Amino acid sequence: MQNFCDFSDPSDLRVLLLSGGAETSRIPHTELVNAAASGALAANAKNVFLCEEDENNGVLAEYLQPIVRLLPADSLTRCQRDLGEFKAFYQDHHFGAAVFLGYHGLKDLKLLVNGIPTTGLGLLAETLAALGVPVVACLGDVDSYEEVQKWMPRAAFLAIHAARSLEETNQVVREVVKSAVLERTERKRGVLSPPFEFEYSLTKPLDFSTRPLLLDVTLKGQSFFWSTWDFLYGWKVFWNIHSRYGAK
C-alpha cells in the first residue's frame, strides 16, 4: 500500500496511544496508559500522545506521566468523517507508531474491504497503515486483537485481564510496548494491496428510488459497492455513505 506520509524519524519519534476507555476503574486504566508510555519512552520515543474515545471513562489526567500529551477527547474519531481533517491530524502530530489500548466489544459495521469483514477498529488500523503509521501493539481483549491482526498481522498482543496483578500487568505492558515500538519498521506493512473493493450493507432497509447516490458508487439491494486504488478515498466514501444512511 502506498503511504500518504512516513513519520518514522527515529530522532523525533512520536507514539500515539489510542484508548477505548477504562473497562472498570479509571485508576488502573491511567496506570496502564502510564505503563505503555514508559515502554514507548524506553524505545526512545520523544513524545507520547493519548487520544481517548470516551473522556468520561478515561484517564485521570492529573496522574499521567509528564511525557504523555492528552489530545482533545474524541479528536481522532471526530475528524474521521473529513479526509482533509484526518490527514491534517497526522501532519500536525507526525506519529511514528500507534498502540491500541483497552478496546472491547467491537461493533460490526457490515463493511467488507477486499472481501474481509471489518469493524470500526479494523478500519482505523488499515487507515493508519495507509497514512504510514503502523499499529505496533494491541492491548485489550482477544476480539480486538483478532480484528487488528487481520490488517496489521505483525502487531504485538497482550490480553488485559484480572488474572495478573496490577503491578505485573504494568510491567508486561512496558516490555510489550517497548519491543513493539523498537520493531515498528518490521511491523509496518498492512495486508491489503490495490485495487480496494468496498462493500457496505445497511442494517435497516431504505427506499433509494428518490435518493441521489454518490459518484462512483453502485447500489445493489441494500448494499453499496465501490472500488478505488486510493484506500483513503475509499475510506472517505464509506464515511459519507455511513453518515447519510447507515447511522440513521
Side-chain angles (χ1 to χ4, degrees), residues 56-98:
N56 297 317
N57 193 33
V59 297
L60 298 171
E62 61 269 28
Y63 295 111
L64 283 177
Q65 288 194 22
I67 192 177
V68 180
R69 300 187 182 186
L70 190 59
L71 295 170
D74 202 28
S75 59
L76 180 64
T77 51
R78 277 205 312 271
C79 68
Q80 282 185 358
R81 281 111 176 124
D82 186 289
L83 184 57
E85 287 187 24
F86 197 78
K87 288 181 177 179
F89 185 85
Y90 286 89
Q91 286 179 315
D92 289 344
H93 293 92
H94 297 198
F95 302 119

Side-chain angles (χ1 to χ4, degrees), residues 153-198:
R154 297 191 177 187
F157 172 61
L158 176 64
I160 304 299
H161 51 68
R164 299 187 190 93
S165 68
L166 183 59
E167 182 179 357
E168 181 184 4
T169 295
N170 291 340
Q171 178 61 38
V172 176
V173 165
R174 281 191 289 269
E175 294 305 316
V176 168
V177 172
K178 175 185 176 182
S179 176
V181 173
L182 284 173
E183 299 170 0
R184 63 192 178 279
T185 56
E186 300 175 14
R187 303 177 188 271
K188 193 159 196 169
R189 185 174 299 277
V191 299
L192 294 184
S193 58
F196 305 107
E197 306 287 342
F198 290 80

